[in-house]
Amino acid sequence: MTTPASIPQELADRDDLPDDVKQLIGLGQYSEGSEFAVERGYIWTSCASVENGNPLFWDDEVAEQVTGGPIAMPTMLSVWFRPHHWAPGRTSQALPLQVHFDLKERFDLPEAVMTDNTIVFHEPVRPGDRLKTRQVLQSVSPPKTTKLGMGRFWVIDVEYRNQNDELVGIESYTGFGYKRDHS
Amino acid sequence: MTELNDRCLDQVVVGDGLPPLRVDVTATTIVLGALAARDWRPMHHDHDFAVNRNGTRDIFMNTPNQAAWFERYLTDWTGPKGRLGRMKFKMSGSVFPGDTMVLAGTVKDVSTDDTGCGWVTVEVALTVEGDVKTSCVASVALPTSRDDNPWARRGDRWKP
């Protein structure tokens, strides 16, 4: 984990957030490397799934000319971190956005939905790259009531870097964990 | 050198419409999209699970695959030099086999940042029978001239 430099005063002053959650805001968690290197088979399968004929992905001459060699579809960022459906010795299901599930448990909010997803793209991802990721809790709202029930909104960033520690992208998820009105 | 059909920033004005893309969605579309994204969750391939556990009409398209459809739609319009900088989307409904989904976009902003990078902001709606299922706002870098290439930008010269 990476410790945040300091807790901002406006966060320290909030009395709706437990101290242990305040400590998590801005903290890098669940740093991990991908289970396999970026490979072209998945890139082509992904292109095929949406009939994407962009020559960047199919024509090496164009890729060399425009992007300095083959790259992955930028929107494939999260693909490289989804765990295998099964792996030897694995005894429990690996979850791809653990901070989200931690918050559900911490606040005893059994239901959750994702309301917004933002992806910011930086360095291109290339075949052979070994990516790494970490999750950063950016914010947690005070309790809110929506038509779904009472709960909290939170924003979690997932940062992706390549083997040279270059930022390749950030996915930002806004989640709403809640209890149904009747529960 | 391959001649590329790329859209330049000076060819775009606010209000331009992108040509709509119509896709007849099948079960294969949904399952292929989910597995290409390594999304093994059963609601994207198991009809019985989707209907009886999730309470949905059928299996439905997953989020990463929708992002891939948006990317394809945008870069079909820009050409290969178009470089995605940022994409934000909000889902309000699901896409099922048997649906005809339509992606349609409009240019909302054209600008150049302080590094000289040209940007367009495009709003795209994914609809089924006129109902918006997912809305997306994307920032895409376009070449400012025939010699410019947004993909050549690195470090401080790339500010998505």
Side-chain angles (χ1 to χ4, degrees):
Chain A
M1 287 187 179
T2 306
T3 306
S6 62
I7 296 178
Q9 193 60 46
E10 66 269 22
L11 188 59
D13 290 344
R14 278 181 56 183
D15 55 12
D16 66 283
L17 274 184
D19 285 345
D20 60 309
V21 176
K22 289 179 184 173
Q23 292 288 340
L24 292 175
I25 293 177
L27 193 71
Q29 299 185 78
Y30 299 108
S31 298
E32 61 175 326
S34 58
E35 291 183 327
F36 59 97
V38 173
E39 48 108 330
R40 297 190 84 177
Y42 262 112
I43 297 170
W44 288 321
T45 302
S46 292
C47 286
S49 76
V50 294
E51 301 170 19
N52 187 343
N54 189 334
L56 285 185
F57 312 119
W58 299 95
D59 184 328
D60 284 1
E61 184 184 350
V62 172
E64 187 62 39
Q65 183 180 326
V66 177
T67 53
I71 63 168
M73 284 175 66
T75 50
M76 291 180 71
L77 265 184
S78 64
V79 170
W80 314 113
F81 285 93
R82 292 220 173 71
H84 299 315
H85 185 55
W86 175 90
R90 182 173 289 163
T91 55
S92 61
Q93 184 183 6
L95 298 171
L97 193 60
Q98 186 63 53
V99 171
H100 172 76
F101 295 96
D102 291 349
L103 289 168
K104 285 178 64 181
E105 185 174 334
R106 176 63 183 83
F107 289 112
D108 190 23
L109 299 170
E111 314 294 337
V113 292
M114 289 298 177
T115 59
D116 288 295
N117 183 204
T118 300
I119 317 173
V120 183
F121 306 97
H122 289 270
E123 284 297 304
V125 173
R126 299 178 185 278
D129 279 356
R130 296 300 300 239
L131 302 184
K132 50 192 177 183
T133 183
R134 67 174 194 159
Q135 301 170 36
V136 182
L137 177 63
Q138 294 292 357
S139 65
V140 179
S141 79
K144 304 269 188 188
T145 300
T146 74
K147 63 183 178 184
L148 291 171
M150 195 165 93
R152 292 176 187 259
F153 288 91
W154 46 72
V155 177
I156 302 165
D157 282 357
V158 183
E159 296 178 358
Y160 301 94
R161 292 182 180 272
N162 63 20
Q163 62 280 359
N164 301 319
D165 208 33
E166 296 168 315
L167 184 65
V168 298
I170 301 173
E171 281 195 279
S172 184
Y173 295 90
T174 302
F176 179 61
Y178 64 98
K179 277 184 181 168
R180 289 178 178 166
D181 286 338
H182 61 268
S183 61
Chain B
M1 183 171 283
T2 304
E3 187 65 30
L4 301 174
N5 182 23
D6 279 300
R7 190 175 299 274
C8 284
L9 193 68
D10 62 5
Q11 296 173 287
V12 182
V13 296
V14 172
D16 279 356
L18 281 63
L21 171 69
R22 297 173 63 87
V23 180
D24 291 328
V25 177
T26 66
T28 302
T29 314
I30 305 291
V31 175
L32 175 58
L35 299 191
R38 296 175 56 80
D39 186 343
W40 326 116
R41 291 176 300 166
M43 61 283 259
H44 304 306
H45 63 260
D46 183 335
H47 175 85
D48 181 66
F49 185 97
V51 172
N52 294 314
R53 285 283 300 278
N54 278 140
T56 54
R57 189 178 93 207
D58 204 333
I59 60 172
F60 54 92
M61 187 175 286
N62 73 336
T63 306
N65 191 230
Q66 290 198 29
W69 277 108
F70 283 118
E71 175 181 347
R72 175 257 162 117
Y73 177 66
L74 290 162
T75 55
D76 275 2
W77 176 70
T78 64
K81 280 188 179 175
R83 180 178 178 183
L84 274 176
R86 183 179 290 262
M87 181 184 281
K88 179 173 185 172
F89 48 96
K90 181 186 282 283
M91 283 161 291
S92 47
S94 299
V95 179
F96 300 106
D99 286 346
T100 297
M101 68 175 185
V102 179
L103 283 81
T106 305
V107 175
K108 293 295 181 184
D109 190 39
V110 180
S111 63
T112 304
D113 69 19
D114 60 7
T115 70
C117 185
W119 290 98
V120 293
T121 302
V122 183
E123 283 185 6
V124 185
L126 186 162
T127 60
V128 174
E129 296 181 343
D131 289 339
V132 177
K133 302 298 183 183
T134 306
S135 52
C136 169
V137 179
S139 300
V140 190
L142 293 187
T144 55
S145 69
R146 286 286 160 210
D147 298 329
D148 185 29
N149 178 10
W151 289 101
R153 293 179 168 274
R154 303 192 65 191
D156 292 342
R157 296 182 63 245
W158 177 245
K159 295 181 175 178

